[in-house]
Amino acid sequence: MVVAGPITPGQVSFLLGIIPVFVAWIYSEFLEYKKISSPSKVHSDNNLIELGSETIKEDDRAILLEGGLTKSASAKFNGSSIRVNLIRFLTMDDSFLLENRLTLRAMSEFGAILTYFYICDRTELLGHSTKKYNRDLFIFLYLLLVIVSYMTSLKKHHDKSAFSGKALLYLNRHQTEEWKGWMQVLFLMYHYFAAAEIYNAIRVFIAAYVWMTGFGNFSYYYIRKDFSLARFAQMMWRLNFFVAFCCIVLNNDYMLYYICPMHTLFTVMVYGALGIFNKYNEIRSVMAVKILACFLVVILIWEIPAVFYIFWGPSAFLLGYSDPDPSKQGLPRLHEWHFRSGLDRYIWIIGMIYAYYHPNVEKWMEKLEETETKRKLTIKTSIVTGSLFAGYLWYEYIYKLDKATYNKFHPYTSWIPITVYICLRNFTQHLRSYSLTLFAWLGKITLETYISQFHIWLRSNRPNGQPKWLLSLIPDYPFLNFMLTTAIYILVSLRLFELTNALKTVFIPTKDNRRLLHNSLAGIGIALCLYCIGFILLQIPHAQLDKSGLKGLVVQSDFMLDLEEATGESK
């Protein structure tokens, strides 16, 4: 087995952490088996108690299958102090292991998946093949998926608006999830088949994701007014938990997965914009000042390169990226961050604006639906015609530009195709009320499919490398290999989504900031301890090598002295 790259302290610390967890989980499963297989009591009252406990276990099991750990497991874990929990874990306390068996299982499964990532992308146990683009095959596969999705997962929704209470469903959750889903499929196929000719479309899709970050977060904070630390921590966990471990285990820079830092940044900016003086968010002038301030901040930082590098310079250790490609060795560490974040620097603010006026648009649409048929048809026809015309102009004069030129216009024009799509997707009640649930399902796991593609669907073979190859499980059979690797890839991504949410319920309490702080400090402390141990363990072979080398030099010098003395005597 050939391993790409040297072993790092982070990788050693991961093993030091996951092995005890895995052992504890295996032992907890043994204890659970032993407990279940013990002779049951005969008394009817006891049988009723056992039946009740089994019902609770079934409920807990249902919760686990839906993506979370049991409420009882989470409560028990958070009920004791961190110090007590650590002592009970290290001493392999039977009751502690039984209480937290599902948590240990989730952590072990998460570690096993990351190990699979490493095997697929950093060893030669599995092969790789080259990417090949065929436009006919590309379009055929995507349209086939659309047709299958339409035939099997078209669903009508009857949800009601949070603003008007009526079933208008303008930009509803099902619709945005579907939107993310069909874009994600094209985004992934673009990488798999190296479909360079749709590069400009991919830029629009990423802008749409960022637009939804602004739209979704603004809507939540504006309506719920929940600026709690717990809510913010949950968002950060969702965006960064999985990618943080990928960076550690695979020795990659955070910026390799540039979608994650981008969404994290714009989520923080939306949170900050609405969280500061949030009591005055209902005042229109205050909201206008906040949105204007967002534009001014972006203009100051991103439009002036010198300011950008000064502002983000201290964060280069986190946001820097070193591309191993020899042709990009001379680029600054923050070049990738400047390029990626700069492309979509304004669109998240546009998403905020659309979210702010969302209730007004719904009220207008409500009135429109109640107007006479002729007037309603005239207005809708005008909207569709105007949208198509604007889309055509954008396509002819912006989209058709070459890659480098298009990127210069993209930050200022990406809102046009997004707005056109929103208008066309929502101009009738019938269109608004239906969605393709297969794409909506895929839309829920976009973060996991985005990160996982680098390592278990594609291959880079080295730290920080771009995925230029395809993972090959069935050599010389590209279509069969595509089918198998895709199936595994989607299943693993779904499970990662469930595990991320499950572990979030355990480690991120919703209404206890003190516990949240303690969990955060404990996590940082444990990570630092494991890293230091890993670093020390890696230094031991070097110390032994240096010591043996020193001995060799001493022996060699003694030999040379003896040789010189013998030569002198012969003379």
Side-chain angles (χ1 to χ4, degrees), residues 246-309:
C246 284
C247 292
I248 293 169
V249 173
L250 296 155
N251 192 26
N252 286 329
D253 288 336
Y254 184 37
M255 265 308 297
L256 178 67
Y257 315 94
Y258 64 90
I259 293 291
C260 297
M262 278 176 54
H263 283 287
T264 299
L265 169 67
F266 299 132
T267 298
V268 170
M269 294 184 79
V270 174
Y271 179 83
L274 270 71
I276 298 172
F277 301 118
N278 60 80
K279 293 180 181 179
Y280 306 101
N281 283 345
E282 300 294 335
I283 302 174
R284 297 176 68 89
S285 58
V286 173
M287 189 55 63
V289 169
K290 287 188 174 188
I291 291 175
L292 179 61
C294 290
F295 275 113
L296 292 176
V297 167
V298 171
I299 291 170
L300 177 64
I301 296 176
W302 272 270
E303 298 292 350
I304 307 173
V307 176
F308 178 90
Y309 284 101

Side-chain angles (χ1 to χ4, degrees), residues 205-422:
F205 297 163
I206 295 173
Y209 291 134
V210 177
W211 180 92
M212 280 186 256
T213 295
F215 180 85
N217 283 291
F218 185 98
S219 298
Y220 177 86
Y221 291 122
Y222 189 73
I223 296 170
R224 300 285 183 88
K225 299 176 175 59
D226 178 13
F227 298 96
S228 64
L229 186 62
R231 166 66 184 179
F232 180 76
Q234 288 173 347
M235 285 298 300
M236 292 301 102
W237 178 285
R238 176 75 183 92
L239 290 171
N240 293 292
F241 173 73
F242 175 36
V243 71
F245 277 93
C246 284
C247 292
I248 293 169
V249 173
L250 296 155
N251 192 26
N252 286 329
D253 288 336
Y254 184 37
M255 265 308 297
L256 178 67
Y257 315 94
Y258 64 90
I259 293 291
C260 297
M262 278 176 54
H263 283 287
T264 299
L265 169 67
F266 299 132
T267 298
V268 170
M269 294 184 79
V270 174
Y271 179 83
L274 270 71
I276 298 172
F277 301 118
N278 60 80
K279 293 180 181 179
Y280 306 101
N281 283 345
E282 300 294 335
I283 302 174
R284 297 176 68 89
S285 58
V286 173
M287 189 55 63
V289 169
K290 287 188 174 188
I291 291 175
L292 179 61
C294 290
F295 275 113
L296 292 176
V297 167
V298 171
I299 291 170
L300 177 64
I301 296 176
W302 272 270
E303 298 292 350
I304 307 173
V307 176
F308 178 90
Y309 284 101
I310 292 172
F311 181 82
W312 291 110
S315 303
F317 73 97
L318 180 64
L319 298 173
Y321 175 66
S322 299
D323 196 324
D325 188 341
S327 64
K328 300 181 180 179
Q329 291 295 315
L331 296 175
R333 281 271 293 166
L334 287 172
H335 169 79
E336 188 76 2
W337 175 237
H338 183 253
F339 172 68
R340 297 294 183 182
S341 62
L343 283 173
D344 300 307
R345 57 186 179 269
Y346 293 112
I347 197 64
W348 64 277
I349 308 176
I350 304 299
M352 289 174 61
I353 295 172
Y354 281 32
Y356 182 68
Y357 285 102
H358 186 274
N360 301 77
V361 175
E362 277 205 341
K363 290 178 182 177
W364 179 82
M365 293 176 69
E366 182 182 336
K367 291 180 181 179
L368 179 63
E369 294 296 335
E370 294 173 354
T371 57
E372 58 177 334
T373 305
K374 185 177 180 181
R375 178 178 171 80
K376 179 170 63 175
L377 186 61
T378 301
I379 294 173
K380 288 187 175 183
T381 302
S382 301
I383 292 172
V384 172
T385 304
S387 298
L388 290 173
F389 182 66
Y392 170 77
L393 292 178
W394 172 83
Y395 177 79
E396 281 293 324
Y397 297 102
I398 302 296
Y399 181 81
K400 285 187 174 182
L401 295 172
D402 63 273
K403 174 180 175 179
T405 307
Y406 174 81
N407 284 338
K408 295 177 182 178
F409 289 95
H410 176 79
Y412 314 103
T413 60
S414 60
W415 63 273
I416 299 174
I418 291 172
T419 306
V420 169
Y421 175 79
I422 292 171

Side-chain angles (χ1 to χ4, degrees), residues 94-309:
D94 288 3
S95 60
F96 175 82
L97 297 181
L98 283 171
E99 290 170 4
N100 297 280
R101 179 174 58 89
L102 296 179
T103 302
L104 293 170
R105 179 194 292 176
M107 295 170 70
S108 300
E109 191 175 350
F110 185 76
I113 290 173
L114 288 171
T115 303
Y116 176 66
F117 276 39
Y118 188 87
I119 291 171
C120 289
D121 196 34
R122 292 291 190 271
T123 71
E124 296 300 328
L125 289 175
L126 303 174
H128 63 267
S129 57
T130 56
K131 297 180 180 181
K132 295 179 181 178
Y133 178 61
N134 182 298
R135 183 188 295 173
D136 180 47
L137 177 64
F138 185 94
I139 297 174
F140 166 76
L141 289 175
Y142 187 71
L143 290 181
L144 180 63
L145 180 62
V146 171
I147 292 170
V148 171
S149 180
Y150 179 81
M151 295 175 65
T152 61
S153 70
L154 183 67
K155 183 178 179 181
K156 186 175 184 178
H157 305 283
H158 302 279
D159 301 4
K160 292 185 177 180
S161 168
F163 301 104
S164 64
K166 297 187 177 181
L168 284 171
L169 297 171
Y170 167 62
L171 275 178
N172 61 81
R173 184 65 180 268
H174 308 289
Q175 186 184 128
T176 54
E177 295 288 7
E178 176 203 74
W179 187 3
K180 288 194 292 183
W182 68 256
M183 288 193 303
Q184 184 73 354
V185 172
L186 282 172
F187 180 59
L188 296 172
M189 290 177 66
Y190 161 77
H191 280 159
Y192 192 90
F193 293 103
E197 67 177 357
I198 64 167
Y199 171 87
N200 292 353
I202 299 303
R203 295 271 66 82
V204 175
F205 297 163
I206 295 173
Y209 291 134
V210 177
W211 180 92
M212 280 186 256
T213 295
F215 180 85
N217 283 291
F218 185 98
S219 298
Y220 177 86
Y221 291 122
Y222 189 73
I223 296 170
R224 300 285 183 88
K225 299 176 175 59
D226 178 13
F227 298 96
S228 64
L229 186 62
R231 166 66 184 179
F232 180 76
Q234 288 173 347
M235 285 298 300
M236 292 301 102
W237 178 285
R238 176 75 183 92
L239 290 171
N240 293 292
F241 173 73
F242 175 36
V243 71
F245 277 93
C246 284
C247 292
I248 293 169
V249 173
L250 296 155
N251 192 26
N252 286 329
D253 288 336
Y254 184 37
M255 265 308 297
L256 178 67
Y257 315 94
Y258 64 90
I259 293 291
C260 297
M262 278 176 54
H263 283 287
T264 299
L265 169 67
F266 299 132
T267 298
V268 170
M269 294 184 79
V270 174
Y271 179 83
L274 270 71
I276 298 172
F277 301 118
N278 60 80
K279 293 180 181 179
Y280 306 101
N281 283 345
E282 300 294 335
I283 302 174
R284 297 176 68 89
S285 58
V286 173
M287 189 55 63
V289 169
K290 287 188 174 188
I291 291 175
L292 179 61
C294 290
F295 275 113
L296 292 176
V297 167
V298 171
I299 291 170
L300 177 64
I301 296 176
W302 272 270
E303 298 292 350
I304 307 173
V307 176
F308 178 90
Y309 284 101

